[in-house]
Structures are given as structure tokens and as C-alpha cells.
Amino acid sequence: MLLADLGAEVIKVERQGEGDETRGWGPPYQGGESSYFLALNRGKRSCELDLSDPGDRGLALDLGAEADVVIENFLPGRAERLGVGFEEMRRRNPDVVYCSVSGFGSARHPSDRPGYDFLAQAESGMMAATGSDSPTKVGVAIIDVIAGQQLTIALLAALRARDRGEGAQRIEVSLLDAGIAAMVNVAANSLATGEEPRRWGNAHPNIVPYQTFETASGEIAVAVGNDRTFRSLCRAMGLDQAGEEPRFATNSDRLEHVDELVPILAERFREESADEWISRLEEAGVPVGRIRGVLDAIRAAGAAGESPVFSIFHPVAGDLELVKSPFRINGVAPRTELPPPMLGQHTAEIRSAGWEPAA
């Protein structure tokens, strides 16, 4: 989808009669299509193929022969057994960029282990480091998202290498590796100490105060990234004495004395409303934010000047609201004119060679 947003012509090859399994991940549905599928598949054409059928397999190879990029997400080894693996594609297309996405990587055993985001969150350490009382998954399929973004970055670099005359490129991304890489500072902390991380809930393992606080009218998030900002926070809260105490002078001091500092701040925050604290802290230059629901977040972003969503017409769902890609090029967010496809919507035109790559 990211590549389509950037202008790529994308053909989504789906299993005949069933299609992408996320088509059935609902409710909610819009016009009979799952919202989950609709969120991920704009800008693509859908072609149903049975890769065990020689004719359909030949069409898949023909498409690969004309493509800049081929992406597959079978279990490791399955594409080769079906006759659409890297070596066969490279034989037909010597400059192909061939990308494989799997759960746990082809170099690990068992290599054909199936994977989903939920399993990757469990096995990457992400669940163990998230939540308060028990391991908790992130509220969105975050490793799926990260793996797709990492693949896109590697793929764009591979296209540059191909254009320099380096020939075919082979890329592999696994959900497990994407999840472990996403643990960044948490993983670094554990490697440095030799200890598993504790779960900090809405607090931070290395920065204090950097967490949520209850106010007289709901919770807010406060992010104090340096000592100067901490002193500004204390002045804005009328806690000048705490801002001057040696035990809270540096972030390292505050981390050591976190169980003494946080109750002082928490008691003061509960005395006034969220609106009052946000106004006061913003005026003092202290990073602060509201705890918003998803719809509230979308509406607030739009009210602040630019909506993060756009509308596109879908043949059965009607006017469909989708979240934009987050980047801007020359101040403009990319978007596609193609709505998410219905299953097999473009099979006939592709079989009849009616589709041609963009010039």
C-alpha cells in the first residue's frame, strides 16, 4: 500500500475463491468488505490465481517477468515448491527485486513455522515489556506495520542498487526480526544489564517523569526529556522546592528516586483539571498531551489544521474514509485514486493482457 501511495502499479495475487484472509476479519464490514482489509489495500488491483495450476502459475511468472518488484509472503520454501521462487523469477527477470516476508525467517528452525503479529509480539519480547501486571500486546498489529515499513525501506534501497547495474536483489524480512529490532532501547537495556525488563505500564524505564498522570478530570501524558524541562515543570506546578532538590536534580537522580518523586507530582496533578494542566504546561514549554480515543485523535488532528484521513469511492462500500500515509512530499500527502479491490476484480483484464505497467 505504501508503494501504491508513492505511485507504484500494484497487482495483488490472491488465492482463488478465498483471497486475502483479512477479507474475513470482521465485523465491522462496509458493503460486505471487512474494514481490516479496506484499511490495507488501497491502490491495488486484485487477481485471483491458483498457483498449483500450470496456466495460472505461468501468468504469475509472466507478471513477475515484467515487474520491478515481486513480494511473497508464503511460508519459507513454499514459493520455490510452487515454482515462483527467487531463482525462477530471476531466470525470467534478471533485474528483479524479490522480497520474502515470513514469521520467523528462513534461516531459523523450523523454517516453515507460520507467524502472525500476535505471535511475533509474544516471541520478540514486546509483550513481556508492555503492560503493568501481565504481558500485554500493543493495541494494533504493530509488528505487521513495522515489518511492512522495513521491507519498503529495504526495497527502495534495492531498486537503487539494481539501477546501478547490480542485477537482481533478494530481500527477506521476518516478523520476529522486525519485532526484536523495534525493541531498540529496551533491548539495549537488557543487553547492558543481563536482566529482563520490567513492565513500566505508562511510565518510561529511562526517563522520569515521562508517564501519564491522573488529574481532577481525567488522565494526561507528560514527557519531561531533560533537566531544564523538569525545573520548568516544577515551577508551572508550584513545586519549586522539588525542582531544586538534589535528589531530583538530574534524570539519573530522578530515576533513582522515582518512588519518591512521582507521588509528589501525582498528588499535585489531581488537584486541578486536565484542561488547566495542559494550558499551564504548554505555556511553560513542557511537553504534554491528552489521552485521546481514536476518533477523537482523528478529529482533533483535523481541527488543528490538516485531516489525517481522506475519502475515496468504493464500488460496494460507497464513500470510504481511509487514513493517509504519514509522510508529505512537497507539503502534500500521497494518495491513490484506486479504492481497495474486490476479490478478483481485475482478473479478467489481467488474463487478457489488458493491464500494462505504467511507463
Side-chain angles (χ1 to χ4, degrees), residues 130-211:
T130 304
S132 298
D133 298 328
S134 61
T136 304
K137 75 178 183 68
V138 179
V140 70
I142 190 66
I143 295 181
D144 278 351
V145 173
I146 292 168
Q149 292 173 334
Q150 294 292 341
L151 177 66
T152 301
I153 293 168
L155 186 159
L156 294 173
L159 286 171
R160 288 289 300 274
R162 184 207 64 179
D163 291 345
R164 290 194 300 266
E166 298 180 20
Q169 305 287 310
R170 179 76 189 269
I171 297 171
E172 182 176 0
V173 173
S174 77
L175 298 183
L176 179 63
D177 287 321
I180 293 174
M183 295 305 291
V184 286
N185 61 296
V186 176
N189 291 348
S190 292
L191 291 170
T193 64
E195 299 177 356
E196 293 289 353
R198 57 169 278 193
R199 286 182 290 278
W200 288 84
N202 287 325
H204 196 286
N206 301 103
I207 311 172
V208 176
Y210 198 100
Q211 64 184 80

Side-chain angles (χ1 to χ4, degrees), residues 30 46 62 81 102 104 108-109 130 137-138 149 161 170 193-194 201 224 234 240 245 286 317 321 336:
Q30 294 173 267
S46 172
D62 287 345
R81 291 192 293 274
S102 64
F104 298 95
R108 296 191 177 94
H109 302 288
T130 304
K137 75 178 183 68
V138 179
Q149 292 173 334
R170 179 76 189 269
T193 64
V224 175
C234 291
D240 298 63
E245 286 212 30
V286 177
E321 281 193 306
T336 178

Side-chain angles (χ1 to χ4, degrees), residues 72 80 85-87 96-100 106 158 168-172:
E72 61 90 5
E80 285 74 16
F86 172 63
E87 293 299 337
V96 71
V97 174
Y98 190 95
C99 309
S100 299
S106 62
Q169 305 287 310
R170 179 76 189 269
I171 297 171
E172 182 176 0

Side-chain angles (χ1 to χ4, degrees), residues 9-81:
E9 297 271 2
V10 179
I11 293 178
K12 181 182 183 74
V13 176
E14 302 191 63
R15 181 180 297 145
Q16 197 167 50
E18 299 178 34
D20 181 340
E21 62 187 32
T22 67
R23 288 183 180 275
W25 287 8
Y29 293 96
Q30 294 173 267
E33 300 279 0
S34 79
S35 294
Y36 202 115
F37 177 85
L38 294 172
L40 302 169
N41 285 282
R42 64 174 178 257
K44 307 176 188 179
R45 292 174 169 85
S46 172
C47 179
E48 289 183 276
L49 294 181
D50 176 2
L51 294 181
S52 66
D53 176 86
D56 280 8
R57 183 167 58 251
L59 177 55
L61 290 170
D62 287 345
L63 292 171
E66 298 295 326
D68 292 301
V69 177
V70 174
I71 303 173
E72 61 90 5
N73 69 331
F74 292 108
L75 296 178
R78 177 68 172 162
E80 285 74 16
R81 291 192 293 274

Side-chain angles (χ1 to χ4, degrees), residues 142-294:
I142 190 66
I143 295 181
D144 278 351
V145 173
I146 292 168
Q149 292 173 334
Q150 294 292 341
L151 177 66
T152 301
I153 293 168
L155 186 159
L156 294 173
L159 286 171
R160 288 289 300 274
R162 184 207 64 179
D163 291 345
R164 290 194 300 266
E166 298 180 20
Q169 305 287 310
R170 179 76 189 269
I171 297 171
E172 182 176 0
V173 173
S174 77
L175 298 183
L176 179 63
D177 287 321
I180 293 174
M183 295 305 291
V184 286
N185 61 296
V186 176
N189 291 348
S190 292
L191 291 170
T193 64
E195 299 177 356
E196 293 289 353
R198 57 169 278 193
R199 286 182 290 278
W200 288 84
N202 287 325
H204 196 286
N206 301 103
I207 311 172
V208 176
Y210 198 100
Q211 64 184 80
T212 57
F213 287 97
E214 187 70 41
T215 73
S217 61
E219 287 186 282
I220 59 173
V222 178
V224 175
N226 57 61
D227 301 332
R228 183 183 64 258
T229 302
F230 175 68
R231 291 189 289 272
S232 297
L233 171 71
C234 291
R235 287 193 295 271
M237 297 182 71
L239 298 172
D240 298 63
Q241 183 176 350
E244 300 301 326
E245 286 212 30
R247 59 181 171 155
F248 304 145
T250 69
N251 183 71
S252 295
D253 295 325
R254 294 191 294 276
L255 193 61
E256 182 179 353
H257 297 282
V258 61
D259 292 336
E260 301 165 48
L261 173 60
V262 168
I264 295 172
L265 300 176
E267 181 179 5
R268 178 73 180 100
F269 272 121
R270 284 193 292 267
E271 293 175 358
E272 299 187 48
S273 70
D275 286 344
E276 175 61 30
W277 283 122
I278 288 172
S279 175
R280 191 177 298 181
L281 296 188
E282 285 183 341
E283 184 176 351
V286 177
V288 62
R290 300 179 187 275
I291 311 298
R292 297 186 186 275
V294 174

Side-chain angles (χ1 to χ4, degrees), residues 287-310:
V288 62
R290 300 179 187 275
I291 311 298
R292 297 186 186 275
V294 174
L295 291 177
D296 185 23
I298 290 171
R299 291 166 183 150
E306 180 185 5
S307 175
V309 302
F310 72 98

